[in-house]
Amino acid sequence: MAAASGLTWQRFRDLELSELTDAADGWRAASAFADAARERVDGDMGGRLAKTQDSESARAAVKRLKRLSENYHYVHTETGLVRGALDALAGELGAPQRRLREALDDAASLGYTVNGNGSVDYPAGGKNELTGAPIPGGSVVGNNGLIGAGNPGLYHDANGMYDPAMGSGGPALKSPNPHRAKAQDVADRLAHAMREAHEIDARYSTALHKLKAAPGLTVDTKTWADVASDADAVSQAAQNYLEKHLPLDKSPAERKEWWDHLSKEQREEYMSAFPGVIGNLDGIPALVRDEANRENLQLLIGQLGVKHDEASRDMLGGLKGIQEKLEKGGEPPMYLLGIGDEGNGRAIIAYGNPDTADNVSAYVPGLGTKLDAEFAGGTVNRAWQTAIGASEADPSSRTSSIVWLGYDAPQMTPGDLASGNSVMFTNDAETGAPDYNAFMAGISATHEGGDPHVTAIGHSYGSLTVGLAAQEKGGVPGADDIILVGSPGTGADNAQDLNVGKDHVYVGAADNDIVTKLPNHEEASGMTSGAVGGGSTGFVLGAGMAGPPGALIGGGAGALVGGIAGYAAQDAQTDPDEHWFGTDPASESFGATRFLVDDGPTIIEDHGKMKAHSNYFDPTKDQDSADNIARIVVGKSEEIKLETPR
């Protein structure tokens, strides 16, 4: 069976797939050696030198060792990709090779001849009813037309001539020679196996041809961009393999069971070849996800480093900020549980190992959050502040504090407003809620103790995401308590709807946080109508008295007065506890426990900013709120300071 790749059925039959896996093992050893060398350079050499000596020559030596470490890192990554591609290639070729050999065995047992082009000769058989002579044999080819010359599936007599009276192998015409149908079946199976083999061969050949090192020893941004491209190529080539061998469509608990039953070599293969998949798979242990995502982080930085659009630059700033925090280290230790460039960026960061912690909190940020420098420098710190506060609230227990940016939080941009994916709509929260629940189910599945104290935290629009997640069947997996801060509503009428019991729903709402006082839809409609009507009237009156300048002044004043009047008119007719996304969580009618927070500055005092909306986690700006959150996280809610519901 000839093909452009040179893969004939004879070569495919005789191919020893163990040679591919043996080669993969060789690349695995090279990858492991490079990784171990990198660790020695970073730890025993560069790390020790940086700690023990402080001189210009020592700093220069550390810089050179850093470059050497990057070289080993590059070798480790590229050889891991080769290893993964070879293993996946061998895995995919196994099934079509087995089917090919089975078809050849059947041909041999029936006495048929398989020709070099894949056609199958069969002998005479049956009897001509008119003459009594045996019906001559013939030759058939597979129905997909990929082998040999001529039309697929056509019947040929013993002399190689097409006989239309004998049919074309279709269901309407049938050869009276009983061997013909059996031979056609064999030929079809051979052709199908080879078609699949050629497709697999082409996919992996393309990917493996990309895995070539550039000349020289410099490993820079361009180098890592090339590595990222290589990783994408391997992942695309192995997509069928991944879908077949990885439990992508299974529950986190099933994924954990799958991982537990893999050999050490299999785990290494998946991690080195597919870090972006393993690192973001809920149900995989935290230490594994962290290792895979640190690898994937470097690939993403390389990939975005050669792009020049604003979105890529913003995301690159966030990725580099996270990388700097990871390299710096500290206590509690930082774990990268998710990273990606989907949408506005994805990042899941934990302070403390959630698989071994006694307490786990997972905080969902809200409006305006995306993977950028502000996220790495500000939003992430909220998880760290909660972790530190928890260790002070209960020094005897271990806490893992997580920030979960696993969805696209709404952005206040014209594009978001036009598309309907803005803070005024529930679209983003509805999309994020099931993903948050899947992550939390993964936390439950991988926890080594089995039953940590779990707190779901939602801030701003993130509280809507948590609220919708809590209202899904079964609620947030594993959640014991829910904290809502700076919330515009959860989509629920009552705290009881959040599936943890209303006594386990806690709310922090600063009096000067305008997000917690967003008007309901009727009030907003009244404000708009009043502003339009008042602005029009003011414009006309102002123009009559003072011309164009008076029109502008009168229009603005009229809009303000009209908006206030419209809001007041609607407010008098609606439930005061009803906000934009449902019942005000801080209200008495919602039924949650409201804890004490600082009022924060007003917008006027804050010169138009919204610091009262952003201080809840920061003990330097709102000690009461930060302390209360920490106490709830460690299961000491009886010690929180309370505030009267609205």
Side-chain angles (χ1 to χ4, degrees):
M1 182 173 294
S5 67
L7 182 64
T8 64
W9 68 259
Q10 297 94 331
R11 292 183 63 187
F12 188 38
R13 174 198 61 194
D14 299 334
L15 178 64
E16 294 293 337
L17 298 182
S18 61
E19 294 180 1
L20 290 175
T21 55
D22 289 345
D25 286 343
W27 287 102
R28 179 190 63 80
S31 182
F33 174 83
D35 193 38
R38 179 193 179 198
E39 289 184 358
R40 287 197 298 272
V41 170
D42 287 343
D44 297 342
M45 300 170 67
R48 183 173 298 177
L49 186 62
K51 292 178 180 179
T52 58
Q53 298 188 38
D54 184 17
S55 65
E56 185 175 343
S57 60
R59 287 191 291 273
V62 169
K63 190 175 182 179
R64 289 194 295 271
L65 288 171
K66 178 65 175 177
R67 288 198 297 268
L68 179 60
S69 173
E70 280 296 285
N71 284 328
Y72 279 128
H73 187 188
Y74 170 72
V75 172
H76 164 67
T77 304
E78 285 284 271
T79 52
L81 290 173
V82 176
R83 178 266 181 98
L86 290 174
D87 268 333
L89 173 60
E92 285 205 55
L93 287 176
Q97 186 187 63
R98 183 179 65 255
R99 290 195 293 271
L100 176 79
R101 289 175 174 176
E102 290 172 350
L104 291 171
D105 288 343
D106 288 347
S109 67
L110 292 167
Y112 302 161
T113 299
V114 179
N115 300 307
N117 69 347
S119 62
V120 178
D121 295 342
Y122 59 92
K127 184 183 294 186
N128 189 309
E129 295 181 0
L130 296 177
T131 65
I135 299 172
S139 180
V140 292
V141 296
N143 275 334
N144 61 22
L146 292 182
I147 57 176
N151 294 322
L154 298 183
Y155 169 80
H156 295 76
D157 63 20
N159 297 316
M161 300 298 292
Y162 169 61
D163 183 356
M166 306 311 295
S168 61
L173 298 172
K174 183 177 181 181
S175 170
N177 186 330
H179 291 292
R180 201 266 180 205
K182 295 178 182 178
Q184 185 66 60
D185 176 66
V186 170
D188 289 346
R189 289 156 58 197
L190 289 171
H192 178 74
M194 288 306 299
R195 179 181 63 187
E196 188 174 353
H198 286 141
E199 188 275 328
I200 293 169
D201 180 51
R203 272 193 285 118
Y204 283 94
S205 293
T206 300
L208 287 167
H209 284 158
K210 286 180 62 64
L211 300 177
K212 296 179 180 179
L217 295 175
T218 301
V219 177
D220 54 17
T221 298
K222 185 177 179 180
T223 306
W224 282 114
D226 183 65
V227 175
S229 177
D230 293 346
D232 285 343
V234 171
S235 294
Q236 290 172 14
Q239 188 60 41
N240 293 343
Y241 175 81
L242 291 173
E243 291 176 354
K244 182 177 179 180
H245 289 81
L246 271 66
L248 301 179
D249 59 346
K250 301 296 183 181
S251 69
E254 290 171 318
R255 293 169 183 165
K256 174 60 164 58
E257 184 178 2
W258 166 80
W259 183 262
D260 287 344
H261 287 84
L262 292 178
S263 66
K264 178 182 178 182
E265 290 74 19
Q266 288 173 316
R267 293 177 181 176
E268 289 177 352
E269 173 197 340
Y270 292 133
M271 286 189 56
S272 60
F274 315 111
V277 177
I278 297 300
N280 291 288
L281 204 57
D282 296 322
I284 301 301
L287 290 176
V288 176
R289 293 181 69 164
D290 177 64
E291 182 178 348
N293 282 320
R294 288 177 188 241
E295 191 71 31
N296 194 37
L297 175 64
Q298 181 64 68
L299 297 180
L300 289 171
I301 289 175
Q303 197 172 48
L304 293 173
V306 296
K307 297 182 179 180
H308 304 292
D309 58 284
E310 184 178 354
S312 295
R313 289 196 300 270
D314 285 347
M315 197 174 297
L316 182 62
L319 293 171
K320 287 186 174 181
I322 291 171
Q323 187 179 56
E324 290 173 5
K325 286 179 176 290
L326 289 168
E327 291 176 348
K328 184 178 180 180
E331 287 295 332
M334 185 176 173
Y335 298 85
L336 189 57
L337 304 183
I339 198 72
D341 59 357
E342 178 184 355
N344 292 324
R346 302 287 186 266
I348 307 172
I349 295 168
Y351 285 96
N353 187 345
D355 290 349
T356 58
D358 302 300
N359 314 297
V360 178
S361 67
Y363 144 60
V364 182
L367 174 64
T369 309
K370 60 181 179 179
L371 181 53
D372 59 5
E374 171 59 29
F375 174 82
T379 306
V380 170
N381 287 341
R382 294 173 181 171
W384 178 80
Q385 289 163 342
T386 297
I388 296 300
S391 67
E392 294 172 352
D394 186 1
S396 65
S397 68
R398 297 166 297 180
T399 296
S400 176
S401 177
I402 302 169
V403 54
W404 183 87
L405 184 60
Y407 80 126
D408 279 331
Q411 309 292 311
M412 288 299 289
T413 66
D416 285 313
L417 292 170
S419 68
N421 293 320
S422 77
V423 72
M424 310 305 290
F425 302 95
T426 62
N427 306 45
D428 291 327
E430 290 171 354
T431 301
D435 292 336
Y436 180 72
N437 278 348
F439 172 76
M440 297 301 281
I443 293 295
S444 295
T446 59
H447 196 272
E448 297 175 9
D451 188 26
H453 177 258
V454 176
T455 306
I457 306 176
H459 172 239
S460 186
Y461 188 90
S463 67
L464 175 63
T465 304
V466 170
L468 294 180
Q471 291 173 77
E472 289 194 342
K473 184 178 180 180
V476 177
D480 298 288
D481 296 308
I482 291 176
I483 298 176
L484 309 168
V485 288
S487 176
T490 64
D493 295 327
N494 192 278
Q496 192 65 40
D497 299 335
L498 302 187
N499 282 305
V500 292
K502 68 176 184 178
D503 292 339
H504 291 272
V505 178
Y506 302 90
V507 177
D511 279 346
N512 292 325
D513 181 356
I514 62 170
V515 174
T516 70
K517 297 180 178 181
L518 287 179
N520 58 45
H521 292 267
E522 288 76 14
E523 291 168 340
S525 177
M527 289 174 66
T528 301
S529 299
V532 171
S536 299
T537 301
F539 184 89
V540 173
L541 293 176
M545 290 186 294
L552 294 175
I553 296 172
L560 178 61
V561 173
I564 294 173
Y567 170 80
Q570 287 295 334
D571 184 52
Q573 302 177 46
T574 58
D575 185 346
D577 294 336
E578 190 68 18
H579 280 190
W580 189 261
F581 293 124
T583 305
D584 176 10
S587 68
E588 185 174 2
S589 62
F590 189 74
T593 300
R594 186 182 182 190
F595 56 83
L596 182 66
V597 303
D598 188 82
D599 290 343
T602 66
I603 286 187
I604 295 176
E605 294 170 340
D606 205 19
H607 304 291
K609 298 179 181 179
M610 295 173 58
K611 291 181 181 177
H613 184 60
S614 306
N615 293 344
Y616 294 102
F617 300 90
D618 190 341
T620 65
K621 297 177 180 178
D622 191 343
Q623 186 73 60
D624 285 329
S625 178
D627 286 348
N628 285 327
I629 291 172
R631 289 166 184 152
I632 296 167
V633 165
V634 299
K636 293 187 175 183
S637 57
E638 71 280 359
E639 297 182 7
I640 65 174
K641 297 178 181 179
L642 301 179
E643 189 163 357
T644 304
R646 289 173 177 166

